[in-house]
Amino acid sequence: MLLGFISLLLTVFQGSIIKICVKESVTHPLLPCDFSPEESFNGGESSSNTTDITSHNRRLLAEEFQGKGYCAAKNKVPLLSVEALHHLHIFIFVLAIVHVTFSVLTVVFGGAKIRQWKHWEDSVAKDNYDTEQVLKPKLTHVPQHPFIRGRFLGIGKSSAILGWLHSFFKQFHASVTRSDYMTMRLGFIMTHCKGNPKLNFYKYMIRALEDDFKKVVGISWYLWIFVVIFLLLNINGWHTYFWIAFIPLILLLAVGTKLEHVITQLAHEVAEKHVAIEGELVVNPSDDHFWFHRPRIVLYLIHFILFQNAFEIAFFFWIWVQYGFDSCIMGQVRYIVPRLVVGGFIQVLCSYSTLPLYAIVTQMGSSFKKAIFDEHVQAGIVGWAQKVKRKKQLKTPTNGSGEGKPPTEGSAMGIQLGRVTRKESAEEILPTTGAQV
């Protein structure tokens, strides 16, 4: 949407843009290739011939002469020609396609990884129906718990350094284990919805992830500012397109390490306080584990990483189509190959590691997301309202006149909640008679 709006603005204000004049000496340092007066003259003649051929069919190219004449009268040159604006329109189109494609691929591959956790959730539901297992008293030895053994590395400064190093390498292999999932799931339920221990945490997590990535597919204004800055810094000899490819890589590794370290911190909090506990091991979710106490910052960083990676690939294909693989703008092969390899590595790591980590670790904040209302709150309120309605029908007429208000309020509350939640979730929940999920 934003890219389409920007493209529209470029078309509307095209006449004014081509009349922005600067000294010719100012444009030379900004060129992505070496400036040669002879090549410039020949290129200008070729551009003029092309313009003469297509001027009868395209009004835009006719306006280019107007812009050049306007600036030539001031002994200056246009900052952007009509041809440059036309190429910019094409680049915006390519960028939009690549960004959406990469975002969809990330969600698809990341979702395939997350779906492997479903059998863990199913095993929890099976255990909940095992009465003997639920009623059996249990004493948990904290140091022997799989979650603590895999995450707790001791106490002290050396353990803190080892914790960060362990978190860095952990994101590349088995980023989330079964014990991690079970422990964080129980910590979330005991903190945010203690009254519904049978909450389907997996479904809630998937809905929350879908809501978040609806925003990731879009392109925000601050991302477009980054594109403008990059295009201005793409100066000959700087190899900006090469160095800037490492920005999303560094950010991705930092985000993955931080998410893994949040899990490590949850384990340390329990291991440092308890040796043995009665019942299951429960962690304490908190915003204090995240940067600036805001878990949502991670989503913005992933948004930027995916966009920047898509921008790098889109820029490569745009240069290839518009100017050819051997053009000076494309650069040397030794700079192109690492750039493409880094882009592929970012896509794979973000899909199979960072995205699944984000889906579960960001639930370890101090608050829950609105996606929980589809199952937890609506099921409880609607079930309660139905019970009150049945009780009302069993009351005598004399008592019913005095006790009619509570059921009416309950029914109204259930109706209002049904309007807020999604229709498909309501259809699944309404047939139930209790708050079980």
Side-chain angles (χ1 to χ4, degrees):
M1 179 64 74
L2 180 61
L3 290 182
F5 180 70
I6 293 175
S7 182
L8 177 62
L9 289 179
L10 290 176
T11 302
V12 173
F13 294 101
Q14 178 175 269
S16 301
I17 293 175
I18 62 176
K19 291 183 179 180
I20 299 178
C21 306
V22 295
K23 294 182 179 180
E24 188 174 0
S25 59
V26 175
T27 62
H28 293 171
L30 299 178
L31 295 176
C33 301
D34 291 330
F35 174 74
S36 175
E38 295 180 358
E39 293 180 1
S40 176
F41 176 78
N42 293 334
E45 183 179 357
S46 177
S47 175
S48 299
N49 292 335
T50 304
T51 305
D52 291 337
I53 296 175
T54 59
S55 59
H56 299 286
N57 299 325
R58 292 191 180 185
R59 181 181 60 85
L60 297 180
L61 294 181
E63 290 183 359
E64 182 173 3
F65 291 104
Q66 178 183 356
K68 288 183 177 180
Y70 178 82
C71 293
K74 299 181 179 182
N75 293 325
K76 296 181 179 181
V77 295
L79 180 63
L80 286 175
S81 64
V82 173
E83 184 179 3
L85 290 175
H86 177 64
H87 289 173
L88 187 58
H89 282 293
I90 298 175
F91 174 69
I92 291 175
F93 176 74
V94 174
L95 177 59
I97 293 178
V98 174
H99 176 63
V100 173
T101 302
F102 274 36
S103 298
V104 171
L105 289 176
T106 302
V107 174
V108 170
F109 293 132
K113 177 70 174 181
I114 295 175
R115 279 192 293 272
Q116 298 177 7
W117 304 347
K118 190 176 185 301
H119 67 276
W120 297 341
E121 185 72 32
D122 295 338
S123 67
V124 176
K126 184 178 180 180
D127 293 340
N128 288 337
Y129 285 103
D130 190 350
T131 308
E132 295 182 359
Q133 186 70 20
V134 173
L135 297 178
K136 183 179 179 180
K138 182 178 181 180
L139 182 65
T140 301
H141 295 278
V142 175
Q144 302 301 322
H145 195 279
F147 176 69
I148 300 300
R149 289 204 312 266
R151 296 288 180 174
F152 183 64
L153 302 175
I155 302 175
K157 294 183 178 179
S158 59
S159 66
I161 298 175
L162 290 175
W164 282 104
L165 290 176
H166 178 264
S167 299
F168 175 80
F169 291 105
K170 183 69 173 175
Q171 64 181 312
F172 300 112
H173 175 68
S175 56
V176 178
T177 62
R178 187 179 190 276
S179 61
D180 296 336
Y181 180 87
M182 294 298 189
T183 305
M184 287 188 285
R185 174 192 180 278
L186 183 59
F188 176 87
I189 292 177
M190 297 302 292
T191 302
H192 299 303
C193 48
K194 203 170 184 178
N196 186 20
K198 295 183 180 180
L199 170 74
N200 193 319
F201 179 71
Y202 174 81
K203 288 185 178 180
Y204 157 71
M205 184 178 59
I206 293 296
R207 286 198 304 268
L209 182 63
E210 291 174 351
D211 292 341
D212 289 339
F213 266 77
K214 289 177 183 178
K215 301 178 182 179
V216 172
V217 177
I219 300 179
S220 304
W221 60 270
Y222 54 85
L223 297 177
W224 180 248
I225 291 178
F226 175 82
V227 172
V228 174
I229 294 175
F230 169 79
L231 293 176
L232 292 177
L233 293 179
N234 188 24
I235 299 174
N236 178 45
W238 286 22
H239 301 291
T240 308
Y241 57 87
F242 173 76
W243 300 112
I244 210 168
F246 291 93
I247 293 180
L249 176 62
I250 295 173
L251 287 178
L252 184 65
L253 295 176
V255 169
T257 303
K258 179 59 179 178
L259 293 175
E260 287 285 356
H261 193 256
V262 169
I263 305 177
T264 301
Q265 286 179 300
L266 294 173
H268 273 251
E269 283 186 350
V270 178
E272 292 174 357
K273 295 178 181 179
H274 306 283
V275 176
I277 56 176
E278 184 178 358
E280 296 288 346
L281 187 145
V282 179
V283 296
N284 182 29
S286 174
D287 288 345
D288 296 336
H289 300 311
F290 296 89
W291 285 315
F292 305 104
H293 310 289
R294 296 185 61 189
R296 196 161 186 80
I297 290 180
V298 179
L299 178 63
Y300 296 139
L301 290 176
I302 293 178
H303 189 188
F304 176 80
I305 291 168
L306 291 177
F307 174 79
Q308 171 59 21
N309 193 46
F311 173 79
E312 284 291 321
I313 303 301
F315 189 78
F316 169 78
F317 283 109
W318 176 62
I319 295 298
W320 190 2
V321 172
Q322 289 293 322
Y323 304 101
F325 188 83
D326 297 328
S327 67
C328 63
I329 303 179
M330 179 66 75
Q332 302 176 8
V333 177
R334 61 181 179 178
Y335 293 107
I336 298 174
V337 174
R339 185 173 154 204
L340 296 177
V341 172
V342 169
F345 176 78
I346 291 174
Q347 186 66 30
V348 173
L349 183 62
C350 188
S351 299
Y352 287 100
S353 178
T354 309
L355 179 63
L357 275 172
Y358 167 83
I360 188 169
V361 175
T362 52
Q363 311 306 328
M364 296 296 102
S366 301
S367 58
F368 53 82
K369 299 180 181 179
K370 63 180 182 179
I372 198 173
F373 288 103
D374 287 346
E375 273 190 293
H376 174 50
V377 177
Q378 181 170 349
I381 296 297
V382 172
W384 170 75
Q386 291 175 349
K387 290 180 180 178
V388 173
K389 185 177 181 180
R390 287 195 298 268
K391 289 182 179 179
K392 178 185 176 182
Q393 295 174 352
L394 297 176
K395 296 293 184 180
T396 60
T398 54
N399 294 334
S401 59
E403 299 178 6
K405 290 185 179 180
T408 303
E409 293 176 356
S411 301
M413 185 179 299
I415 294 173
Q416 291 177 358
L417 186 61
R419 293 175 180 174
V420 176
T421 54
R422 292 182 293 191
K423 183 177 180 181
E424 60 270 21
S425 299
E427 292 176 352
E428 296 177 359
I429 295 172
L430 285 176
T432 62
T433 58
Q436 297 180 359
V437 177

